[in-house]
């Protein structure tokens, strides 16, 4: 049975309640009305089991037993729900019982819990110092010491006693201290009434002491085992798995981690379950919620702040806020690495994002280039080969990639960047923005954040795209109603959906909430099946379970009570929401046009107020979204346009300087090497001018080499680099060559003197031009051979310039591989198989990810009967594809099938 179609809370609760009542009361009623009394079989009847009376009795007994088990399972689940504690008992029919009860609690908050709408449930810190609770014993005589506690949403006396006193049965002590008191809402405290959030209760003086608030630890001694530690602290050795789950993967002294329950090192500190042999052998409970309670001591005045840090490990003690205005902080579990203030990228046309987001965009760009190169077909013999113009980038995308490169000077090749970026751990926090030059992180589980004001849409775009950069391998899912998606990202988003993993578009907000409800119910069942307390623990215990971080982004101008209720129930399930509008029970932030939060209300208000949130304007967000789609295989529609260099006329005299750009960069003057490794900007200037034979003016050069410097200072740097380059070349030149400028100036343009400097890149472009205009196959073969001799590697291997890869290196690599494949095809048609194989191998070495090169080599080797070599190429290709999580193209799969097909005998050509 399912309640998924019933989105209205009253209908869902009614359906689940009806089903539960029918099972609990309907089954015994039918049995008692129609089958009572039961006619028990005699001994003679039992001698013949096929007798109808025997079968009937067995069936009735089976039904009664099943009903009793189900009723007991319902009782167990009800107790667990009331106590806000996962049941440790496992019974038949318990999943059905849990499902029905969960549906009821999702639809409506249990009456014994504090209603959430009255006070927001915030992430706040415990503030109890070792010296705080009380005075000396002699000062306490004649009066009853106590501490006060501010009631939080969904609190019960049982949970307060369990969490603050260490024993849920001590709820009677709380009743004794508060019976008949007038609470802050003006009503007297009575044992049976609801606890209103914001009310202040008196607790025994030992509430919140370290033994209750701080997790117990055990330092491993030599020869100890988890079994023995479990016997000592938990009463049974069989409970060692509880300790292992709590500590698996935690860093230990010395840097090691607990990964094997049989391997312990002396000196390791293990966290123990909260309740064990020392507390009535109660089962351990490890909940990770957004609500931690605030305590203050009645013996201190309201404005007093203890001088020492809180025992919970908070960085500083916090005073207790007035009821209804508790100070809040993002949930600290699990912790997220906090970037430095400099880890922010400000975009040229508006927008601000985290540097980690820039890294995600850089990975998408690398994946786009890889996908394009992998699927390029081999050129035909008659196809003209040219270096193509790169696809233009939006300024925001280019700025993000450049920021990633500047933060990572040792930039990896595309293959390494994409393969190393693969992760399976879902994100647990959202990067929200900065405040006081410090990052602001928000825990995703249970997040209920609403943004309003002129800058709200830009911030929601940033949040959605930040999660989508982490959505591979089922790490994150973002749900957006189509009207909101089109408003934030444009009408084209619906055409990109197949290439944006993790993005789910729904027709309406109700449909999106329905999906959230399905996920909440299913995740609760999965947690129960795996005996996990929260989604983080489950992901650690079972990494293969697809449980992505789930975020709803939608418009909700006036709030949505049912959605708020769902998010309240999802505090440990990895589900959250960011809304455009208001949230009655969550956090609502007002943003101005600069995306600065001017006003905030709700649980996270204190930590978000005065923060500046990350944001993206519409055009930048659309370009980033398109980049993510192309990184996931969306074909690009950029028209191919040749970008061949305008080669200067060949020099009629010998050129003393030779500049090698293809492969390892090298400069020599009449055979003497020139080292520019210590004159880095002079070398970069030389490379830049070699890629622009017609020359560039000073402003264009400074824009490439010093984009962040003021114009005058950049001009000084340019002239200094030009002097370094000329001096280095003149010092290595013969006396007759020292009069050369090497870099000449014509008006405002600076260019290389072609009569003094030979550049292999220019020769390569000339060879491609000769191949395109060749009138005979022999002439084309000769021109391509010239190009092949120059293909010694990628452009300026080892040099890392921001402007080089996208604009020059990869377009040239693609043209080089295509020229080699065309040359190999010509040799293959002429019967020169060995030379064709050499050319194909050269193409594979130049770009091992271009399937057409490897496919050509495998096909020819298979034809020649050299299957071992062909299989070696195939294994190498499959290894790289597996590292990328990609599959071979249909053309490659056909060649591989031919390779693996049974053959009677190798063909000898």
């Amino acid at each position: 049975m399912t309640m998924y179609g019933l989105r209205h809370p009253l209908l869902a609760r009614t359906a689940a309640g009806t089903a539960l009542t029918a099972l609990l009361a309907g089954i015994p009623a039918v049995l008692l009305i129609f089958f009572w009394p039961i006619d028990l079989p005699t001994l003679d009847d039992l001698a013949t089991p096929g007798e109808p009376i025997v079968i009937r009795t067995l069936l009735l007994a089976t039904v009664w037993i099943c009903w009793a088990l189900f009723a007991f399972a319902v009782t167990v689940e009800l107790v667990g729900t009331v106590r806000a504690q996962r049941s440790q008992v496992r019974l038949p029919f318990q999943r059905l019982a849990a499902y029905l009860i969960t549906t009821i609690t999702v639809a409506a908050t249990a009456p014994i819990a504090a209603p959430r709408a009255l006070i927001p449930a915030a992430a706040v810190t415990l503030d109890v110092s070792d010296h705080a609770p009380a005075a000396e014993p002699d000062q306490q005589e004649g009066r009853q010491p106590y501490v006060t506690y501010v009631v939080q949403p969904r609190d019960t006396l049982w949970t307060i006693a369990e969490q603050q006193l260490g024993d849920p049965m001590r709820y009677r002590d709380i009743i004794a201290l508060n019976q008949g008191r007038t609470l802050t809402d003006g009503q007297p405290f009575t044992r049976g009434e609801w606890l209103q959030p914001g009310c202040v209760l008196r607790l025994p003086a030992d509430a919140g002491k370290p033994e209750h608030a701080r997790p117990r630890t055990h330092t491993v001694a030599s020869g100890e085992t988890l079994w023995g530690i479990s016997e000592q602290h938990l009463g049974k050795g069989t409970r060692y798995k509880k300790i292992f789950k709590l500590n698996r993967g935690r860093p230990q002294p010395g840097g090691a981690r607990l990964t094997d329950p049989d391997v312990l090192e002396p000196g390791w500190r293990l966290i123990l379950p909260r309740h064990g042999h020392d507390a009535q052998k109660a089962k351990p409970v490890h909940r990770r919620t957004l609500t931690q309670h605030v305590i203050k001591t009645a013996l201190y005045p309201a404005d007093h702040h203890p001088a020492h840090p809180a025992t919970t490990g908070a960085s500083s003690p916090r005073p207790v806020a007035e009821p209804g205005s508790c100070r809040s902080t993002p949930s600290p579990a699990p912790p997220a690495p906090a970037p430095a203030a400099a880890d922010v990228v400000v975009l040229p046309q508006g927008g601000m994002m985290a540097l980690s987001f820039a890294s995600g965009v850089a990975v998408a760009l690398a994946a786009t280039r890889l996908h394009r190169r992998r699927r390029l077909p081999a050129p035909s013999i008659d196809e003209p080969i040219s270096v193509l113009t790169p696809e233009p980038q939006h300024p925001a995308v280019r700025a993000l990639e450049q920021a990633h490169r500047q933060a990572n000077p040792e930039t990896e090749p595309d293959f390494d960047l994409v393969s190393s970026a693969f992760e399976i751990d879902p994100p647990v926090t959202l990067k929200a923005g900065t405040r006081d030059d410090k990052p602001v992180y928000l825990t995703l589980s249970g997040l209920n954040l609403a943004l309003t004001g002129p800058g709200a849409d830009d911030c929601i775009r940033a949040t959605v795209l930040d999660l989508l950069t982490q959505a591979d391998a089922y790490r994150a899912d973002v749900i957006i109603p189509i009207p909101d998606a089109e408003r934030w990202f444009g009408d084209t988003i619906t055409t990109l959906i197949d290439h944006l993993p993790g993005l789910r578009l729904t027709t309406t907000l109700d449909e999106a909430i329905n999906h959230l409800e399905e996920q909440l119910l299913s995740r609760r069942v999965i947690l129960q099946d795996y005996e996990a307390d929260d989604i983080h623990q489950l992901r650690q215990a079972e990494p293969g379970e697809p449980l992505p971080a789930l975020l709803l982004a939608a418009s909700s101008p006036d709030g949505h009570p049912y959605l708020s209720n769902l998010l309240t129930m999802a505090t440990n399930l990895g589900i959250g929401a960011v809304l455009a509008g208001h949230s009655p029970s969550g956090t609502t932030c007002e943003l101005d046009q600069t995306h600065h939060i001017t006003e905030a209300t709700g649980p996270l208000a204190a930590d978000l107020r005065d923060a500046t949130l990350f944001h993206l304007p519409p055009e930048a967000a659309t370009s980033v979204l398109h980049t993510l789609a192309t990184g996931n295989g969306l074909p690009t529609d950029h028209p191919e346009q040749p970008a061949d260099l305008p080669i200067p006329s060949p020099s009629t005299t010998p050129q003393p300087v030779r500049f090698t750009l293809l492969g390892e960069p090298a400069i020599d003057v009449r055979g003497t090497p020139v080292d520019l490794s210590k004159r880095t900007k002079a070398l970069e200037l030389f490379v830049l001018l070699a890629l622009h034979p017609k020359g560039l003016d000073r402003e264009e050069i400074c824009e490439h080499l010093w984009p962040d410097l003021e114009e005058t200072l950049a001009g000084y740097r340019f002239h200094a680099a030009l002097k370094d380059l000329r001096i280095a070349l003149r010092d290595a030149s013969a006396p007759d060559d020292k009069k050369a400028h090497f870099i000449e100036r014509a008006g405002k343009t600076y260019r290389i003197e072609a009569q003094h400097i030979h550049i292999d890149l220019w020769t390569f472009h000339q060879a491609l031009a000769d191949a395109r205009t060749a009138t005979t196959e022999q002439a084309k073969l000769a021109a391509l051979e010239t190009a092949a001799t120059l293909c010694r590697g990628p452009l300026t291997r080892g040099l890392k310039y921001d402007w080089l890869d996208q604009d020059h290196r990869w377009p040239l690599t693609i043209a080089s591989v295509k020229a080699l494949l065309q040359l190999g095809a010509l040799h293959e048609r002429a019967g020169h198989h060995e030379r064709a194989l050499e050319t194909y191998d050269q193409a594979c070495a130049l770009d091992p990810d271009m399937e057409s090169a490897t496919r050509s080599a495998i096909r020819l080797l298979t034809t020649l009967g050299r299957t071992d070599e062909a299989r070696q190429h195939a294994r190498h290709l499959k290894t790289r594809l597996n590292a990328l999580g990609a599959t071979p193209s249909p053309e490659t799969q056909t060649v591989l099938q031919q390779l693996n097909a049974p053959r009677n005998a190798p063909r000898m050509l």
Side-chain angles (χ1 to χ4, degrees):
M1 188 182 72
T2 177
M3 313 301 173
Y4 294 158
L6 302 176
R7 290 186 288 270
H8 194 281
L10 180 59
L11 294 179
R13 181 175 59 177
T14 302
T18 301
L20 189 61
T21 303
L23 291 173
L24 287 178
I27 291 177
V30 170
L31 293 176
L32 292 175
I33 293 173
F34 296 102
F35 301 99
W36 190 265
I38 300 176
D39 294 329
L40 298 178
T42 63
L43 292 177
D44 294 337
D45 294 333
L46 293 177
T48 55
E51 288 292 330
I53 190 174
V54 175
I55 297 175
R56 179 185 178 187
T57 303
L58 291 176
L59 290 176
L60 289 174
T62 302
V63 173
W64 276 109
I65 291 173
C66 291
W67 175 84
L69 290 173
F70 175 72
F72 187 50
V74 170
T75 303
V76 169
E77 286 300 317
L78 283 174
V79 171
T81 301
V82 171
R83 298 176 61 176
Q85 179 175 333
R86 178 176 59 83
S87 171
Q88 302 292 327
V89 181
R90 291 294 172 265
L91 297 168
F93 308 107
Q94 190 162 353
R95 287 192 62 177
L96 175 60
Y99 178 83
L100 294 173
I101 293 173
T102 298
T103 301
I104 296 173
T105 55
V106 166
T109 304
I112 62 171
R116 180 176 176 85
L118 299 178
I119 182 173
V124 293
T125 55
L126 189 69
D127 184 19
V128 180
S129 300
D130 290 338
H131 66 285
E136 296 298 326
D138 57 350
Q139 297 175 333
Q140 299 176 4
E141 294 180 1
R143 65 174 178 173
Q144 185 176 12
Y146 59 85
V147 295
T148 57
Y149 172 82
V150 180
V151 175
Q152 298 297 306
R154 297 186 58 78
D155 270 351
T156 65
L157 293 178
W158 182 283
T159 59
I160 295 173
E162 179 186 29
Q163 294 172 6
Q164 304 305 323
L165 303 176
D167 183 359
M169 297 304 297
R170 292 189 62 186
Y171 75 92
R172 300 183 183 91
D173 297 342
I174 303 177
I175 294 175
L177 281 175
N178 293 275
Q179 188 70 30
R181 286 185 60 244
T182 301
L183 302 181
T184 53
D185 60 357
Q187 300 297 322
F189 176 87
T190 58
R191 177 182 183 130
E193 74 170 13
W194 293 4
L195 295 180
Q196 298 293 338
C199 292
V200 178
L201 294 179
R202 293 178 179 178
L203 305 186
D206 62 337
K209 283 191 173 181
E211 58 266 26
H212 305 316
R214 182 184 299 169
R216 299 184 302 153
T217 61
H218 175 87
T219 302
V220 178
S222 178
E224 283 192 317
T225 64
L226 284 182
W227 184 280
I229 296 172
S230 178
E231 281 187 331
Q232 177 183 348
H233 293 283
L234 305 183
K236 291 183 179 180
T238 55
R239 295 179 180 172
Y240 77 92
K241 294 181 180 179
K242 303 287 186 181
I243 305 177
F244 180 67
K245 285 183 179 181
L246 278 178
N247 294 273
R248 181 165 58 181
R250 290 185 61 251
Q252 297 290 344
R257 296 174 184 267
L258 176 61
T259 57
D260 187 338
D262 296 326
V263 179
L264 294 180
E265 297 291 338
W268 282 6
R269 293 181 63 84
L270 303 180
I271 295 178
L272 301 177
R274 182 173 175 183
H275 303 297
H277 185 62
D278 301 330
Q280 300 181 356
K281 297 184 180 181
K283 294 290 184 179
V285 180
H286 316 289
R287 286 189 298 277
R288 196 174 271 111
T289 68
L290 286 179
T291 305
Q292 295 177 343
H293 303 300
V294 175
I295 299 178
K296 71 175 182 180
T297 304
L299 300 180
Y300 285 104
D303 59 348
H304 178 79
H305 301 270
H308 301 290
T311 60
T312 56
S315 60
S316 62
R318 299 176 185 264
V320 173
E322 292 298 323
S325 61
C326 298
R327 179 174 175 82
S328 60
T329 58
S331 173
D343 291 350
V344 170
V345 182
V346 179
L347 304 181
Q349 297 180 355
M352 182 182 77
M353 295 299 295
L355 182 60
S356 58
F357 176 77
S359 299
V361 173
V363 171
L365 288 170
T368 299
R369 293 190 290 265
L370 270 175
H371 185 82
R372 181 184 177 193
R373 287 170 16 230
R374 283 197 306 110
R375 295 306 171 93
L376 276 177
S380 64
I381 290 177
D382 299 327
E383 179 182 336
I385 306 297
S386 297
V387 178
L388 301 178
T389 58
E391 183 175 356
Q393 285 184 344
H394 188 276
V397 175
R398 179 177 287 271
L400 289 167
E401 185 180 30
Q402 289 178 350
H404 168 75
R405 292 180 181 275
Q406 292 170 3
N408 301 273
E410 297 300 323
T411 304
E412 300 173 299
D414 286 347
F415 175 84
D416 295 336
L417 182 60
V418 174
S419 59
S420 63
F422 182 82
E423 295 184 22
I424 62 172
D425 294 332
V428 295
T429 57
L430 292 176
K431 307 174 187 67
T434 62
R435 188 177 73 167
D436 299 330
D437 293 330
K438 296 180 180 179
V440 176
Y441 276 76
L442 299 176
T443 301
L444 194 147
S445 269
L447 179 66
N448 187 357
L449 177 65
L451 305 177
T452 185
D457 286 353
D458 291 348
C459 297
I460 293 178
R461 291 187 193 96
T463 300
V464 169
L465 289 176
D466 182 46
L467 266 189
L468 288 181
T469 61
Q470 309 171 69
D472 56 311
Y474 304 101
R475 296 176 60 208
D477 277 350
V478 180
I479 308 170
I480 313 178
I482 291 178
D484 296 325
E486 292 179 342
R487 177 163 67 92
W488 292 327
F489 300 100
D491 298 340
T492 58
I493 188 172
T494 55
T495 64
L496 305 178
I497 187 67
D498 291 337
H499 299 280
L500 291 171
L503 179 61
R504 176 189 293 267
L505 300 182
T506 61
T507 306
T508 62
L509 175 59
D510 283 344
E511 183 181 342
I513 294 176
N514 188 41
H515 179 71
L516 249 64
E517 181 183 357
E518 293 177 13
Q519 286 293 311
L520 186 147
L521 295 173
S522 64
R523 291 186 181 202
R524 280 198 163 188
V525 172
I526 294 174
L527 287 181
Q528 184 179 28
D529 289 346
Y530 283 96
E531 299 185 7
D533 297 307
D534 57 28
I535 204 74
H536 180 64
Q537 187 181 95
L538 175 57
R539 287 166 178 164
Q540 289 183 325
E542 185 55 45
E545 188 69 39
L547 293 168
L550 187 59
L551 179 76
L552 169 66
S555 294
S556 181
D558 301 320
H560 198 294
Y562 187 45
L563 174 60
S564 295
N565 194 35
L566 284 177
L567 296 174
T568 303
M569 307 296 294
T571 53
N572 64 338
L573 298 177
I575 300 174
V578 175
L579 307 174
H582 295 80
S583 176
S585 60
T587 301
T588 301
C589 299
E590 178 78 25
L591 294 98
D592 60 18
Q593 292 181 346
T594 64
H595 309 93
H596 181 78
I597 297 179
T598 58
E599 185 56 46
T601 59
L604 304 178
D607 292 279
L608 289 175
R609 190 177 292 115
D610 295 328
T612 299
L613 300 188
F614 293 132
H615 52 277
L616 278 176
E619 187 177 352
T622 301
S623 64
V624 170
L625 193 71
H626 188 270
T627 300
L628 298 180
T630 57
N632 286 287
L634 177 70
T636 58
D637 54 1
H638 174 62
E640 294 185 349
Q641 297 179 353
D644 297 297
L645 296 183
I647 307 301
S649 302
S651 175
T652 57
T653 59
Q655 298 158 299
V657 180
R658 300 185 66 85
F659 188 15
T660 301
L661 290 172
L662 299 175
E664 297 289 342
I667 305 171
D668 69 79
V669 179
R670 298 190 185 278
T672 301
V674 177
D675 184 13
L676 289 181
S677 59
K678 296 182 179 179
R679 299 171 173 176
T680 55
K681 283 301 180 181
L683 177 58
E684 187 175 357
L685 174 62
F686 205 6
V687 173
L688 179 64
L689 293 177
L691 291 168
H692 297 84
K694 285 189 173 182
L696 298 171
D697 61 32
R698 189 183 69 175
E699 287 74 18
E700 292 173 324
I701 294 172
C702 291
E703 182 64 27
H704 280 85
L705 272 61
W706 299 279
D708 300 325
L709 292 186
E710 186 268 331
E711 183 178 355
T712 302
L713 180 56
Y716 293 155
R717 297 287 178 87
F718 162 69
H719 289 297
L722 181 59
K723 288 178 182 178
D724 283 343
L725 178 58
R726 284 172 171 166
I727 290 173
L729 296 178
R730 286 172 180 168
D731 288 348
S733 300
D736 295 340
D737 301 325
K738 291 186 180 292
K739 296 180 181 180
H741 292 287
F742 298 110
I743 307 297
E744 64 181 358
R745 177 181 177 182
K748 294 184 177 181
T749 301
Y750 294 84
R751 61 172 176 255
I752 292 176
E753 288 183 334
Q755 65 272 25
H756 291 102
I757 301 177
H758 173 272
I759 297 177
D760 63 342
L761 178 63
W762 297 358
T763 304
F764 175 80
H765 276 270
Q766 186 61 54
L768 292 185
D770 293 342
R772 290 194 299 270
T773 58
T775 56
T776 65
E777 190 169 297
Q778 195 63 30
K780 188 169 191 173
L781 192 67
L784 292 176
E785 283 287 6
T786 300
T789 59
L790 297 171
C791 294
R792 294 178 290 267
L795 180 67
T796 60
R797 178 191 292 131
L799 296 184
K800 302 182 184 299
Y801 304 143
D802 290 342
W803 50 268
L804 188 62
D805 272 347
Q806 176 67 15
D807 294 339
H808 301 283
R809 183 171 283 156
W810 290 119
L812 183 67
T813 298
I814 292 173
S816 300
V817 172
K818 294 177 73 172
L820 291 171
L821 293 179
Q822 194 173 70
L823 176 62
L826 287 171
H827 280 301
E828 188 176 351
R829 188 163 76 173
H832 306 149
H833 297 127
E834 290 302 324
R835 176 57 186 146
L837 284 174
E838 291 176 1
T839 307
Y840 292 151
D841 287 343
Q842 186 181 0
C844 293
L846 187 59
D847 189 353
D849 297 307
M850 192 173 291
E851 288 187 35
S852 55
T854 305
R855 186 167 62 241
S856 298
I858 294 174
R859 177 186 49 76
L860 181 54
L861 288 169
T862 303
T863 303
L864 297 175
R866 295 158 64 173
T867 55
D868 289 342
E869 296 175 63
R871 289 193 176 97
Q872 185 176 0
H873 280 73
R875 283 194 296 270
H876 180 69
L877 175 63
K878 289 180 179 179
T879 298
R880 295 185 72 86
L881 291 177
N882 289 337
L884 297 173
T887 57
S889 65
E891 296 83 1
T892 302
Q893 292 178 8
T894 300
V895 172
L896 296 178
Q897 290 172 359
Q898 294 173 354
L899 170 63
N900 296 322
R903 310 172 71 88
N904 295 328
R907 294 175 57 188
M908 302 300 295
L909 300 179

